Amino acid sequence: MSAAAPGRILVIGLELGDGRLVYEWAKAGHLPTIAALIEDGTWGRLETTAGQLHVSAWPSIYTGVGPGEHGVYYTFQPAPGLQGYQRFHEGLYGRPTFWQLLDAAGRRCTIFDAPYTHPEPGFAGTQLFDWGTWAHYLAPQSTPRNLLRELESACGKYPLGLEAHDLGFRPLDPADTQQRLIGAVRRKAEAALWLMRRSDVDLFMTVFGETHVAAHYCWSPDGDHDLMRGLYEELDRAIERLLQAAGPDALIVVVSGDAVAPNHTGWYLLPEVLARLGYFASAEMAAAPGGAGAEVATRFDPVRAVRDLLPKDFRKNLARLLPTGLRDKLAQRVDTATFDWSRTTAYCLPTDLEGCIRINLEGREPEGRVAPGAEYEKACRDLKSALEELVEPDTGRCSVREVLIVDQAFPGPRRGHLPDLIVLWDAAAPITALASERIGTVGGESPDPRPGTHAEPGFVLMRGSGIAAGRTIQDAHIFDVAPTILDRLGVAPPAHMTGRRLAKTTTVQ
């Protein structure tokens, strides 16, 4: 991206980059590069889909549409014709990314470590996948194919040594994690600079996943964010190097799709809640009137039987040695081995934040038992009502902030790849039990010890030709990022994008 000319764009993404902390630290002098961008450019918060389906934020930024249009919301998700769930894979996106649209219009693009993406048919630009992302959805690879090998020869391999799917919910030492992340940010900047010097493009985009890791493991619920701030100070220096390489005339876009909040959720209690409500049944327990149960014969599954014989730590170490695809298939088989689909009306999908519930629908699920139309709509309404009754048993405080019916919240052609209901938690305090008159009390310890998790809002920061200094963006959404980039490079946003060009939404601070 050498000798940048007007119209060039540098997009810097911060996974789970908390705009409130970034702004506070910049104004306090801790982040001088970002502070200068704020002073010379336009800053604002972004409404986001991260508060409902947290992984959907980046796909929404890329495509300029919501989850019902693009269909991507988590590592594991359902699909029409599938009983249960599958891993994220190529071909899931229902709408093109903004760089695919730019490429089709003849604009040259390099995309580096954009999370939750995969190779797109016909894309002629440069793209590297999962070299330094936090959660690998693919094996590290590139287009062109030899580019990854060339980058690693020049810059080395990504040094973090941690990956979300491999780590699971295992706790990490915050101070050690911060030091690992600082080294990873430096290496990511070196790799990005190597790519920028390698080719002359109209759009260069890179995403720092290190902020994602810090938000989960270095964020502190007591407000002591010194470890996170130290990482952001290193990131600020990395951004300065990228800005210098981009040149003074490039449009700079710094964006995050979400913020950080306390990890107070109750998703892990929902399977038992659904069982007591009579919506979910397993081969181990036959639902009885009133939500009680009676033991019945267990359906034998040899894979599950072997798994149960192995010590937990040994199982985890063994799983890390298996190819990702095989590991995922075995995990899904074990997870659903005891499901009695003939008596299951609704079941929980994998998650680590909001509750994701799928109705076992005839014609969509192969073993569906709820008829489409009025019966399905009634099941959604009744389950929503029952879940919104859940409280914390000791205080009576409502545990569920809202239950969204996805047909209403995220309609669109890819709606069938999403849950049917989304449970949003009241995060004011940890959730260790759920209670209501219908279910009694369900309790347990969360398997996820990470102190921080995803929340709203996102943020955007822009500086460059045509961007007024000292302005604040008003009423903006992550859907606005893609049409803004397209418009800047002279490509008309497609009709399915409902967002606005962000430069038109600014007001004087």
Side-chain angles (χ1 to χ4, degrees), residues 263-280:
N263 188 16
H264 297 161
T265 64
W267 58 269
Y268 60 98
L269 299 173
L270 279 180
E272 179 64 21
V273 170
L274 292 187
R276 294 199 185 188
L277 289 170
Y279 287 88
F280 171 73

Side-chain angles (χ1 to χ4, degrees), residues 329-413:
K329 288 181 180 179
L330 292 174
Q332 197 231 13
R333 175 169 171 171
V334 168
D335 288 347
T336 61
T338 62
F339 285 24
D340 185 344
W341 295 112
S342 68
R343 294 187 294 117
T344 290
T345 300
Y347 56 98
C348 290
L349 294 165
T351 185
D352 61 357
L353 179 50
E354 59 276 318
C356 295
I357 296 174
R358 184 84 160 178
I359 301 296
N360 195 19
L361 184 64
E362 289 180 1
R364 186 183 66 184
E365 274 69 43
E367 299 184 57
R369 64 184 301 268
V370 177
E375 185 176 345
Y376 165 81
E377 293 169 3
K378 184 177 186 301
C380 288
R381 290 194 306 270
D382 290 351
L383 185 49
K384 170 182 168 71
S385 177
L387 293 172
E388 288 180 343
E389 294 173 2
L390 297 173
V391 300
E392 201 281 325
D394 292 336
T395 66
R397 178 180 59 87
C398 291
S399 299
V400 175
R401 175 163 50 90
E402 185 180 9
V403 176
L404 300 178
I405 296 177
V406 173
D407 284 328
Q408 301 165 7
F410 296 121

Side-chain angles (χ1 to χ4, degrees), residues 289-508:
E295 294 293 337
V296 296
T298 300
R299 182 173 56 193
F300 178 75
D301 180 77
V303 174
R304 190 169 190 260
V306 171
R307 192 283 306 263
D308 291 345
L309 290 173
L310 300 175
K312 186 176 181 180
D313 289 342
F314 180 80
R315 293 201 310 259
K316 289 183 177 180
N317 292 330
L318 179 63
R320 294 188 186 104
L321 299 176
L322 298 176
T324 300
L326 176 60
R327 182 174 62 185
D328 293 340
K329 288 181 180 179
L330 292 174
Q332 197 231 13
R333 175 169 171 171
V334 168
D335 288 347
T336 61
T338 62
F339 285 24
D340 185 344
W341 295 112
S342 68
R343 294 187 294 117
T344 290
T345 300
Y347 56 98
C348 290
L349 294 165
T351 185
D352 61 357
L353 179 50
E354 59 276 318
C356 295
I357 296 174
R358 184 84 160 178
I359 301 296
N360 195 19
L361 184 64
E362 289 180 1
R364 186 183 66 184
E365 274 69 43
E367 299 184 57
R369 64 184 301 268
V370 177
E375 185 176 345
Y376 165 81
E377 293 169 3
K378 184 177 186 301
C380 288
R381 290 194 306 270
D382 290 351
L383 185 49
K384 170 182 168 71
S385 177
L387 293 172
E388 288 180 343
E389 294 173 2
L390 297 173
V391 300
E392 201 281 325
D394 292 336
T395 66
R397 178 180 59 87
C398 291
S399 299
V400 175
R401 175 163 50 90
E402 185 180 9
V403 176
L404 300 178
I405 296 177
V406 173
D407 284 328
Q408 301 165 7
F410 296 121
R414 303 291 283 184
R415 155 71 191 88
H417 293 259
L418 308 180
D420 293 302
L421 296 102
I422 304 169
V423 182
L424 306 180
W425 307 102
D426 183 337
I431 298 173
T432 58
L434 298 170
S436 73
E437 290 186 4
R438 302 196 209 191
I439 69 164
T441 299
V442 171
E445 183 178 355
S446 173
D448 184 1
R450 299 174 299 180
T453 194
H454 303 254
E456 302 173 287
F459 80 88
V460 68
L461 170 58
M462 300 190 302
R463 187 200 70 185
S465 175
I467 304 297
R471 299 292 183 99
T472 299
I473 295 173
Q474 301 290 337
D475 302 321
H477 200 286
I478 58 172
F479 298 164
D480 300 334
V481 174
T484 297
I485 293 171
L486 291 171
D487 180 80
R488 181 73 176 202
L489 291 175
V491 177
H496 65 257
M497 287 187 182
T498 58
R500 302 172 294 169
R501 184 163 64 90
L502 285 170
K504 294 181 178 180
T505 67
T506 59
T507 59
V508 178

